[in-house]
Amino acid sequence: MRVPILRLGRVLLTSLPADLTDQQVMDLQIDALALIQSGKADGLVIDITAADVVDSYMARILSETAKMVKIMGGVAVLAGMQPAVALTLVEMGRDMIDMETAFDLEGGVAKVVRLVASRGGRHDEVPTT
Amino acid sequence: MIPEPDVVSVRVTTEIDVAEARQEARKLALRHGFGTVRAHGLATAVSELAMNLVLHSARGGLIRLTVQDAPEAAVIELVSEDDGPGIPDLGLAMEDGYSTRGGLGCGLPGTRRLVDAFAITSCVGAGTRIVCLVRRP
């Protein structure tokens, strides 16, 4: 089953399940990038409230997805990290999560909107003088 | 009379098994009075080792958790065993940033930092065995 992606205005929302498979990750990345490319969205909020554990594999997937979105010209924000997850990630060492983060979904959406606005929005929306 | 140790075994071949293994690990730790952060650390260590079984061993492997519990202290032994390809250079595999599969390269060194004791033995062509200990308090 594909991980559903919802669209709220120009922001994409997705919530990762606890047992994410390789195929689901690839589908999610393709779906999100296609939506951003189509001009329907500027960014993506990935909610990990349901993810019971973020191991190095999951951390790689998250950081990779954020990088892909960034290369496309969008913004990706990670939201809903549990305190125990943050503690464990720091204990494991290195920069496990290399992306923007927010406390919760609401904060994540606000951050995407703010980051996109601070860059002057999408290029195709910049008014020509 | 010495109480029987609490044992949980999960055979891991797919990512679904990885999720089951880490959920079992967390439940086991909480059941024996480990704190939520400690239980989460153990679940993450299990997740790392189980994922390695899926990624590197064609036939997967076995995750086994054994608890010795006494009122004043408890210890969980986590064993990961496979008959996969083995690791040619253990020193390199335990180094931060080394990965043969495009990962972050912090699975094994990260796991070592999450547990109280860590031992790894590997034989090329025969398999790998990792033993970790997590203590309470």
Side-chain angles (χ1 to χ4, degrees):
Chain A
M1 201 191 87
R2 284 175 113 87
V3 179
I5 299 180
L6 314 174
R7 190 160 62 85
L8 179 73
R10 301 192 53 79
V11 182
L12 303 175
L13 311 174
T14 190
S15 191
L16 297 188
D19 47 356
L20 196 64
T21 65
D22 254 339
Q23 188 58 49
Q24 281 178 312
V25 169
M26 271 189 288
D27 291 342
L28 175 72
Q29 289 172 338
I30 290 165
D31 293 349
L33 296 182
L35 280 161
I36 288 170
Q37 199 237 344
S38 71
K40 289 187 182 121
D42 302 321
L44 168 71
V45 180
I46 304 174
D47 177 81
I48 52 162
T49 309
D52 52 348
V53 157
V54 176
D55 56 14
S56 65
Y57 174 75
M58 175 77 102
R60 189 192 98 212
I61 285 163
L62 292 168
S63 302
E64 252 181 28
T65 307
K67 212 169 285 174
M68 289 175 190
V69 171
K70 193 176 171 190
I71 291 169
M72 293 281 297
V75 174
V77 175
L78 185 66
M81 182 169 294
Q82 308 293 319
V85 175
L87 276 160
T88 305
L89 281 172
V90 171
E91 207 173 330
M92 286 185 78
R94 282 167 59 92
D95 297 324
M96 298 272 286
I97 300 285
D98 184 20
M99 68 188 294
E100 295 286 341
T101 55
F103 289 124
D104 52 19
L105 195 58
E106 197 178 352
V109 172
K111 196 155 194 175
V112 168
V113 170
R114 199 167 64 241
L115 286 170
V116 169
S118 73
R119 296 190 324 199
R122 289 177 72 100
H123 291 301
D124 49 289
E125 281 169 8
V126 174
T128 46
T129 47
Chain B
M1 199 181 101
I2 300 163
E4 285 290 307
D6 196 352
V7 183
V8 175
S9 288
V10 181
R11 177 144 287 283
V12 178
T13 49
T14 68
E15 291 148 313
I16 304 298
D17 303 327
V18 176
E20 191 200 332
R22 65 169 175 253
Q23 279 153 19
E24 287 295 332
R26 180 208 299 274
K27 275 192 279 178
L28 184 80
L30 293 174
R31 187 156 78 227
H32 288 275
F34 285 73
T36 51
V37 171
R38 209 75 178 115
H40 185 269
L42 176 73
T44 307
V46 167
S47 198
E48 294 289 351
L49 299 184
M51 202 53 172
N52 276 349
L53 296 177
V54 174
L55 295 178
H56 298 288
S57 174
R59 279 190 304 238
L62 190 72
I63 293 283
R64 195 177 62 245
L65 294 142
T66 311
V67 189
Q68 298 290 349
D69 195 352
E72 67 280 8
V75 61
I76 297 178
E77 181 196 53
L78 158 61
V79 180
S80 166
E81 259 174 339
D82 68 65
D83 55 0
I87 304 168
D89 190 336
L90 276 182
L92 205 53
M94 291 308 298
E95 244 174 54
D96 272 310
Y98 177 78
S99 172
T100 54
R101 211 183 162 277
L104 282 176
C106 54
L108 286 181
T111 302
R112 177 158 62 180
R113 283 189 284 269
L114 285 178
V115 297
D116 296 310
F118 181 98
I120 180 167
T121 46
S122 189
C123 185
V124 173
T128 302
R129 181 183 157 93
I130 297 167
V131 182
C132 305
L133 296 180
V134 177
R135 292 190 194 91
R136 168 181 63 89

